[in-house]
Amino acid sequence: MNTILAVVAAYLIGSLSFAVVVSKLFGLADPRTYGSKNPGATNVLRSGNKAAAVLTLLGDAFKGWLAVWLAIRFQDQFQFDDSSIALVALAVFIGHLWPVFFKFVGGKGVATAAGVLIGIDIWLGVATLATWMIVAFAFRYSSLAALIASIFAPFYYGLLFGPDVKMLAVAIMSGLLVYRHSQNIANLIAGKESRLGSKKAEAKEEKKK
């Protein structure tokens, strides 16, 4: 029963869409109505409000971390085993992808996944984030960096702790993240994906003209 309640609570925490909430607080348009229509930090940034985008990023990461941290913090008190922790990790991530509070229209899960990984283990999170940064810096594609980092995450977990049920949860989470980036994958293959900083470069060119 405790595990069921924890999973439900984690899903509800994940269902808090910071992109929508922060945009409303800042008086911005609903991120589901413009750009990529993805309620995430990258799309919020398209509004031109950097503070809102940063708060969205931090909020989405925080909720992923919080749900896992609480489950681990009270593991002994509520008799949670590794399966319980794995289910909580998946529940908060799925809540972000398909939030009950926002008609099941959620984001792609990059920030929330990062928060979950940090909640499981700080070094797991650091290794995955480092992978994202290296790929992003080398190729200038945020989506490609997210895809490669998500693929490596289960391997990092296996190297650190060996295969177990939490590694399975990380692998499922990675698979869902790749699925949510299907359009980005198509754009990458077609050479249509926007590079990091491309919008700023285009804006500068327009000003020169």
Side-chain angles (χ1 to χ4, degrees):
M1 180 59 72
N2 286 338
T3 295
I4 294 174
L5 292 175
V7 168
V8 172
Y11 172 76
L12 294 177
I13 290 172
S15 290
L16 296 172
S17 179
F18 279 88
V20 177
V21 173
V22 170
S23 292
K24 191 168 185 179
L25 290 175
F26 277 75
L28 304 173
D30 189 324
R32 296 169 296 178
T33 64
Y34 64 84
S36 65
K37 294 183 172 56
N38 174 59
T42 301
N43 205 35
V44 172
L45 186 60
R46 290 189 173 97
S47 71
N49 194 313
K50 293 180 180 179
V54 170
L55 284 176
T56 298
L57 178 69
L58 293 176
D60 284 343
F62 175 75
K63 69 184 182 184
W65 171 83
L66 179 64
V68 176
W69 180 82
L70 286 173
I72 294 174
R73 172 66 177 79
F74 296 102
Q75 185 171 8
D76 294 334
Q77 184 174 341
F78 293 104
Q79 298 180 329
F80 293 149
D81 56 15
D82 284 351
S83 295
S84 301
I85 305 300
L87 288 171
V88 165
L90 277 176
V92 69
F93 183 70
I94 289 172
H96 177 79
L97 301 188
W98 296 286
V100 67
F101 302 130
F102 298 95
K103 300 179 180 179
F104 302 101
V105 179
K108 295 178 181 178
V110 177
T112 302
V116 168
L117 295 177
I118 292 171
I120 292 174
D121 181 80
I122 184 65
W123 294 113
L124 174 62
V126 167
T128 307
L129 287 172
T131 301
W132 186 95
M133 292 177 66
I134 291 169
V135 176
F137 179 80
F139 298 99
R140 310 302 298 172
Y141 286 115
S142 177
S143 57
L144 179 63
L147 289 165
I148 292 178
S150 67
I151 291 170
F152 271 86
F155 292 101
Y156 290 145
Y157 185 97
L159 288 173
L160 287 168
F161 309 107
D164 61 17
V165 67
K166 286 188 285 187
M167 178 180 170
L168 177 60
V170 172
I172 293 172
M173 192 168 63
S174 297
L176 288 171
L177 194 147
V178 171
Y179 166 73
R180 295 290 282 191
H181 280 77
S182 56
Q183 184 58 54
N184 300 93
I185 294 171
N187 289 340
L188 285 166
I189 294 171
K192 297 178 181 179
E193 186 74 350
S194 297
R195 289 179 181 268
L196 289 169
S198 61
K199 299 297 182 182
K200 290 183 179 179
E202 290 171 7
K204 288 180 180 179
E205 288 297 322
E206 287 297 323
K207 287 183 180 179
K208 289 179 181 179
K209 294 177 182 178

